[in-house]
């Protein structure tokens, strides 16, 4: 069973160039805590909107603010913790079995998600009451 305290911000490699900008990179077996099978990204999220509001039974994710900023609130059924992501060289590792809410998106924010599995609708828990039963 994973807890909010098991979910951490990982500092990613950042290649810095004074005149030409920056580049960050992740590779399977290197900086990543799990092998990536899927990437997706959220963008054009209207101000005031929230996303997420679900947990995954098995899936792990690394959530990156590729552009702009947003807040991720993690909840293990007992404890909640909010992370304000605003650096493209940081990734929040969300372990399986943790409820997540995303909100407070800045204009132009891009939320890049690296996931340990391909999309499986049956891995989602979308009802908070069901999530609390799952945690017991
Ligand atoms: P959804 O999980 O509801 O987004 P969020 O919870 O972040 O608001 O996904 C929105 C739609 O996109 C939904 O119809 C399922 C689809 N989808 C895929 O087809 N593949 C994917 O990898 C993801 C994440 C979503």
């Amino acid at each position: 069973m994973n807890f909010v305290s098991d979910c951490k911000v990982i500092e990613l490699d950042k290649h810095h160039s004074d005149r030409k900008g920056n580049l960050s990179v992740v590779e399977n077996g290197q900086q990543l805590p799990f092998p990536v099978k899927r990437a997706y990204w959220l963008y054009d999220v209207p101000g005031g909107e929230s996303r997420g509001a679900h947990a995954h039974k098995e899936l792990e994710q690394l959530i990156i603010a590729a552009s702009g900023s947003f807040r991720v609130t993690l909840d293990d059924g007992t404890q909640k913790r909010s992370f304000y992501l605003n650096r493209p060289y940081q990734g929040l590792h969300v372990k399986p079995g943790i409820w997540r809410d995303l909100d407070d998106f800045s204009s132009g924010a891009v939320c890049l998600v690296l996931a340990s599995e391909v999309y499986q609708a049956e891995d989602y828990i979308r009802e908070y009451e069901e999530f609390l039963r799952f945690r017991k």
Side-chain angles (χ1 to χ4, degrees):
M1 186 82 87
N2 294 300
F3 296 93
V4 164
S5 53
D6 299 315
C7 300
K8 301 228 155 59
V9 172
I10 295 174
E11 296 284 321
L12 306 174
D13 284 1
K14 180 180 175 188
H15 299 271
H16 175 73
S17 159
D18 276 342
R19 285 178 297 113
K20 296 194 285 183
N22 299 319
L23 180 155
S24 289
V25 60
V26 289
E27 273 180 292
N28 284 345
Q30 304 280 335
Q31 310 83 352
L32 286 170
F34 55 84
V36 173
K37 287 199 185 161
R38 174 171 56 117
Y40 64 90
W41 43 102
L42 305 173
Y43 52 96
D44 291 346
V45 179
E49 270 308 330
S50 59
R51 302 292 299 253
H54 63 257
H56 288 282
K57 297 173 193 163
E58 304 284 345
L59 187 79
E60 315 187 42
Q61 296 176 320
L62 193 74
I63 302 180
I64 300 165
S67 184
S69 62
F70 49 86
R71 177 172 57 190
V72 185
T73 302
L74 302 182
D75 178 352
D76 58 23
T78 306
Q79 209 184 357
K80 280 191 188 187
R81 185 168 171 200
S82 287
F83 297 83
Y84 197 71
L85 298 184
N86 60 0
R87 304 268 186 250
Y89 52 84
Q90 292 177 337
L92 175 62
H93 181 204
V94 183
K95 296 239 182 152
I98 304 285
W99 187 270
R100 86 288 320 276
D101 290 297
L102 285 76
D103 64 3
D104 209 2
F105 285 85
S106 69
S107 110
V110 178
C111 170
L112 172 63
V113 182
L114 306 180
S116 63
E117 293 297 336
V118 297
Y119 181 71
Q120 288 163 315
E122 58 285 5
D123 188 62
Y124 281 70
I125 303 172
R126 292 188 181 275
E127 297 293 333
Y128 193 72
E129 291 302 316
E130 186 192 341
F131 168 68
L132 292 178
R133 285 196 295 277
F134 173 81
R135 291 291 308 191
K136 286 205 174 119

